[in-house]
Amino acid sequence: MSLRAKLITGVAAIVVVIAAVVTFAVTSGGSDGDQGGARTLTWWSPNWDKDEAAKLVAAFEQENPGITVTVVETTWDTMADKIRVALESGTGPDVITELTSRTGLYAGKGQLLDVSSWFTGDMARDDFLPSALDAVSLGGKTYGVPFRWDGSALIYNKDMLAAAGFTAPPTTWAQFTTIAKATTKNGVSGTAWPLGNDANTVTRWIDQYFTDGGAFTVDGSTVKVDPGKAADALNLIGSSVTEGWASKSSLEVDNTGLRDLFINKKIAMYVGGAFDVTPIQQAGINLGTALYPGTDGPGTVSADGFSFLVPAKTKKADDTRKFVQFLARPQNMAALTQTFPARTSAGTDTKFSTELIKPFFDQLAHARPNPGYTGMTDLTATVYSAQQQVALGRIGAAAAGQQIADQAAKVLKP
C-alpha cells in the first residue's frame, strides 16, 4: 500500500472513532439528560394513573420542548419489589411514583435524592399537608414530593340515625357508642369493622391507637408501642363485637364487604374511605359523612398516599426537578389524584369540595403518617391475630396489647 493510501486509511479510522465517541456521548446521557442531544426522562407510574399521566406528560413536553418523558407502568402487585430492586442496584428511572409510607425505607439506605430545596416558589412547603411532608422526611431532610394523601372518616345512614332519634352524626366515641347501640335492632347492627382482612384490621387498630394517644416511639435501634394504649384500641373495637352492637360479620369482611353491609342496610354507620361514597350514592342510600369521632372531638387517623421519589444516583437532577415541580402544581396534582391531593391549594378543586367528600379532606388535618418502619409486615400478623382474639372474647385486651408491644420491640426497626 502506498504512503498516501495508508494516510487516507488512518484518517478514516480516526474519523470513525471520533464519530462513535460523539454518538455515545449524545445517546448515553451525561449530566442532566443528554446535553447537546435528546434529553429524556423515565417515569415509573402505576397503571391506574395511566390516562392522566399521559395527559400530563404531553402538557409538560409541550411546555418544555427538548425534554421527552417515557412512562413505564407499574402495578400494585409488583411495584414494591420492582422499585426496591431498582433502587438497590442503582438502575432505577428518573422519577418513581411510590407508596408514601415506604419512602423512609429507601431514604434510610441513602437511595433517594434529598429534594428539600425543591420546595420553593410555586411549590411552597407550607402549602403541603404537614402529615404528608412528615411521611417523606427523615433526619431533617425531605426525600419525596407527596401528591396523594388519604385518610378515613365516618360514613352513616341518615335515615337509620333519624329513625333512632338522632339528627346529627356522632362527634365523640361516647356518642358513637350510644348511637350504635340505639340503631342495633331488627337484624341491623350499629356498626361493623373489616376484621376479616389483616391490612384493613391493622389500619383500623392504628386509627384507634392514634386517637387514644398512642404513638410509635423510636428508641435507639428499636421502635416501641405503648402496651396500654394498644390494649385500649383493641378493646374499643373488640368490645363492640362482643357486646353485640357491631356486626358479627366484622370477623369475616374486608373493606369492600363492609361497604356491602352498609349498602344492604345491615349496619347504620362505619369508618371508611372516600372511594366508598360514589358506589353508596349509586345504591340510593341517604348518605352522610363526618369526621372520625375521638375522645372529645375529631379522632386521629392514619394516612397514606403516593409520592414522587427520585433515585439518589440521578444524573438528570435539573430536568427531573422541573418535571416533578410541574406534576406537583395544584391543578396537575388535583387531576392526578383519585382521592385527595397533598397540597391545600389543590384541595380547593371543586371535586373535593362537595358536602359528602369534604369531611374526608378535613380529616387529613387530624392525621398521622401510616407507620412505615422496617418490620411492619411482621407486626401486622400479630395485630391481626390479637384483634380477632379480643373480638372473639378468647383473650383479654391487656394481654393482647402486651403481645403487640413485645412483638414491636422485636421486629420494628427505625
Side-chain angles (χ1 to χ4, degrees):
M1 181 182 293
S2 67
L3 177 60
R4 176 182 175 83
K6 288 181 180 179
L7 289 173
I8 292 174
T9 301
V11 170
I14 292 171
V15 170
V16 169
V17 170
I18 292 175
V21 170
V22 171
T23 300
F24 176 80
V26 170
T27 59
S28 65
S31 175
D32 246 5
D34 321 310
Q35 298 298 321
R39 295 156 63 190
T40 61
L41 297 174
T42 301
W43 174 23
W44 282 6
S45 177
N47 55 357
W48 56 82
D49 285 341
K50 176 181 178 181
D51 293 340
E52 289 301 331
K55 294 176 184 177
L56 290 174
V57 165
F60 175 78
E61 291 177 342
Q62 183 175 5
E63 187 176 304
N64 297 272
I67 304 178
T68 300
V69 179
T70 300
V71 179
V72 176
E73 292 182 24
T74 57
T75 67
W76 176 252
D77 292 335
T78 63
M79 64 188 304
D81 285 340
K82 183 175 182 179
I83 292 170
R84 176 182 56 80
V85 171
L87 289 175
E88 288 179 351
S89 63
T91 59
D94 302 294
V95 181
I96 302 170
T97 294
E98 170 62 309
L99 196 65
T100 297
S101 58
R102 289 198 280 256
T103 303
L105 301 178
Y106 310 131
K109 297 177 182 178
Q111 297 170 345
L112 298 180
L113 184 70
D114 174 12
V115 296
S116 302
S117 63
W118 294 10
F119 290 86
T120 184
D122 292 336
M123 202 177 85
R125 178 176 291 272
D126 60 9
D127 190 33
F128 284 76
L129 293 169
S131 56
L133 281 180
D134 287 346
V136 294
S137 298
L138 185 68
K141 298 180 180 180
T142 305
Y143 292 94
V145 178
F147 71 91
R148 184 179 301 163
W149 197 233
D150 302 321
S152 303
L154 183 67
I155 294 172
Y156 65 98
N157 185 312
K158 289 183 176 181
D159 294 338
M160 286 186 178
L161 265 62
F166 300 96
T167 58
T171 59
T172 66
W173 185 259
Q175 293 175 4
F176 180 89
T177 302
T178 298
I179 294 175
K181 290 179 177 179
T183 51
T184 298
K185 54 186 175 181
N186 302 323
V188 175
S189 299
T191 191
W193 306 95
L195 307 184
N197 175 281
D198 56 357
N200 297 159
T201 298
V202 172
T203 296
R204 293 294 161 259
W205 174 80
I206 291 175
D207 289 347
Q208 199 59 56
Y209 179 66
F210 282 163
T211 294
D212 291 340
F216 290 79
T217 306
V218 176
D219 183 8
S221 61
T222 62
V223 180
K224 293 183 176 180
V225 167
D226 184 323
K229 299 296 184 182
D232 289 344
L234 292 171
N235 186 57
L236 283 169
I237 295 174
S239 63
S240 67
V241 180
T242 58
E243 293 174 9
W245 47 273
S247 173
K248 291 291 184 182
S249 296
S250 297
L251 298 166
E252 303 172 352
V253 299
D254 58 9
N255 280 339
T256 301
L258 190 59
R259 183 179 67 212
D260 290 341
L261 287 175
F262 185 80
I263 288 175
N264 290 311
K265 301 182 180 180
K266 295 298 183 181
I267 57 175
M269 56 185 178
Y270 73 102
V271 179
F275 45 78
D276 286 339
V277 170
T278 297
I280 292 173
Q281 285 182 300
Q282 292 172 343
I285 303 296
N286 188 10
L287 173 65
T289 58
L291 296 178
Y292 185 88
T295 303
D296 53 8
T300 302
V301 301
S302 58
D304 206 345
F306 287 87
S307 297
F308 302 119
L309 309 182
V310 180
K313 295 182 179 180
T314 181
K315 295 182 179 180
K316 306 176 183 180
D318 287 345
D319 284 348
T320 300
R321 173 188 53 77
K322 187 178 295 185
F323 180 52
V324 170
Q325 288 180 330
F326 172 85
L327 293 176
R329 289 176 184 173
Q331 67 273 25
N332 294 340
M333 187 181 289
L336 189 59
T337 178
Q338 296 175 340
T339 47
F340 297 113
R343 291 185 71 168
T344 301
S345 56
T348 60
D349 189 281
T350 55
K351 72 178 181 180
F352 306 122
S353 303
T354 67
E355 179 184 353
L356 291 175
I357 293 297
K358 191 173 184 297
F360 292 93
F361 188 72
D362 291 343
Q363 184 68 55
L364 294 176
H366 309 279
R368 294 185 198 171
N370 195 39
Y373 303 109
T374 299
M376 276 303 297
T377 300
D378 295 324
L379 186 64
T380 292
T382 301
V383 174
Y384 174 64
S385 176
Q387 187 65 81
Q388 279 268 336
Q389 294 304 307
V390 170
L392 287 167
R394 295 175 179 173
I395 186 174
Q402 190 62 56
Q403 288 178 0
I404 293 174
D406 291 344
Q407 181 69 352
K410 291 179 182 177
V411 303
L412 294 189
K413 303 298 178 184

